[in-house]
Structure formats: structure tokens, C-alpha cells
Amino acid sequence: MAASGESGPEQELLRSDSITEVGEDAAATVNMPEPLSEEEQEELRKELVKVEEEIQTLSQVLAAKEKHLAEIKRKLGISSLQELRENITKGWQDVTSTTAYKKTSETLSQAGQKASAAFSSVGSVITKKLEDVKNSPTFKSFEEKVENLKSKVGGGKPAGGDFGEVLNSAANASATETIAEQTQEETQ
């Protein structure tokens, strides 16, 4: 390591000045120092060539490593699709293990339970209201009138069935008529 009082190309590289971001105009962010001597310019040009060669070498090494990696994966039978599946599975596991996901899941579960309870409660209320309507004097009067009509139309059957039975018998009669009509149409 160089002592803090030394200066040179190594120290220049270790400075903590701001680093130019991709896309920034490097010339606009560099403070133009005093003019360099011919010797300093030549030394910097040599260093520039050396760094560019190192970058080229590292790019070639990286390309060779990537090619070797692809060859190993091919020999192991690891396909891009398998990698994608594994990445998606791992990503999903990462998502489901987050606190935000767990809280959201818990909240939605509770909301579902509350909605279910509310629907159940609504169903109970509707059932109770229908029972109240069925037991109301108006409905009883209507039921009696329907039964009287049924006994007059039906003839010999005694009155005494409830409204549900009347509806069932009417539905059965209608279904029987429909089947008879279909049978008659098919034979023609």
C-alpha cells in the first residue's frame, strides 16, 4: 500500500471523487486541471491503453466462462426452461415469505371469513322472514283461498293440503302435460 503522502497513478485511481454515471458527460463533470506535461500525457496514454487491454481481456475471459457454464449445464441436462421454472419457484417462495405477503394473506383470509359469516347471516334472516310471511294472516288467508279453489276444481279431494302441496301438484300436472305433448309430437 502507498503511504498517504505519496502520489501517482495508483493513488489517482483510489480517490473518492464522484464516479461518472452511465450516460453522463464525463467531460462536463471533470474539473480541468492545469495542463499536463508531455511526459505525463504519454504516461496517461500508456495507462489508458493498458486499462483498455485489461477490459478486453476480462471481456474475453467472461465470454469463455459463460460458454463453459453453458456447456456444463448442457451436460447436466439443465435447460433454460428448467432454470426459468426454478427461478419462478424461488421467486414465489421469496414473495410468500415476506411480511407484506403474510399480512395481506391473513387480511384477505379474515375478510373472506367475515364475508362468509355475513352471507350466512343474510341467509338466516331471509329464511326467518319467509317463515314469518308464511305464518302471517294474509298468507294464511291466501293459502285457504287457494285450497278452496283447488277443492272446487279438483272435485273429490278433501281440502287440507298446505300451499306447498298445491304448488307441487300444479308443477307435476304441468310437467305431465309437457311430457304428453312431447310424446305426441314425436309420434307424428
Side-chain angles (χ1 to χ4, degrees):
M1 240 190 192
S4 60
E6 291 181 3
S7 135
E10 292 82 17
Q11 283 300 103
E12 290 289 320
L13 292 174
L14 298 175
R15 287 191 322 202
S16 62
D17 293 346
S18 67
I19 298 174
T20 305
E21 293 291 324
V22 174
E24 282 189 41
D25 186 4
T29 61
V30 174
N31 295 331
M32 289 304 291
E34 35 193 271
L36 299 172
S37 68
E38 294 256 342
E39 185 179 300
E40 290 172 325
Q41 286 181 3
E42 185 61 31
E43 186 179 323
L44 287 174
R45 284 189 191 108
K46 287 179 185 177
E47 187 176 346
L48 177 64
V49 169
K50 181 181 170 188
V51 170
E52 286 174 341
E53 287 173 354
E54 288 174 354
I55 290 172
Q56 182 66 30
T57 302
L58 290 172
S59 294
Q60 291 170 351
V61 168
L62 178 61
K65 292 283 185 186
E66 287 176 340
K67 188 175 182 180
H68 184 63
L69 174 70
E71 182 65 22
I72 291 171
K73 285 182 178 181
R74 185 188 63 74
K75 286 179 180 177
L76 290 173
I78 299 172
S79 68
S80 297
L81 184 58
Q82 281 178 308
E83 283 186 85
L84 179 63
R85 273 190 234 141
E86 290 170 7
N87 288 341
I88 289 172
T89 301
K90 173 136 178 36
W92 181 247
Q93 288 172 346
D94 291 347
V95 166
T96 58
S97 65
T98 63
T99 306
Y101 177 84
K102 289 177 182 175
K103 286 182 180 178
T104 302
S105 177
E106 184 178 309
T107 301
L108 290 175
S109 175
Q110 289 173 356
Q113 290 171 352
K114 288 179 182 178
S116 177
F119 287 132
S120 176
S121 176
V122 167
S124 297
V125 168
I126 290 173
T127 301
K128 173 79 169 104
K129 288 293 181 184
L130 288 175
E131 287 175 6
D132 290 347
V133 166
K134 187 176 177 182
N135 294 329
S136 71
T138 305
F139 189 81
K140 293 284 185 187
S141 171
F142 178 71
E143 187 177 32
E144 286 176 15
K145 289 179 182 176
V146 169
E147 286 184 23
N148 286 337
L149 180 64
K150 178 184 170 190
S151 66
K152 289 178 183 175
V153 171
K157 290 187 179 176
D162 68 357
F163 187 64
E165 290 175 358
V166 172
L167 288 177
N168 284 337
S169 67
N172 288 338
S174 174
T176 305
E177 289 174 8
T178 304
I179 292 171
E181 290 171 1
Q182 287 175 350
T183 307
Q184 188 177 13
E185 289 174 3
E186 289 174 2
T187 57
Q188 289 179 353

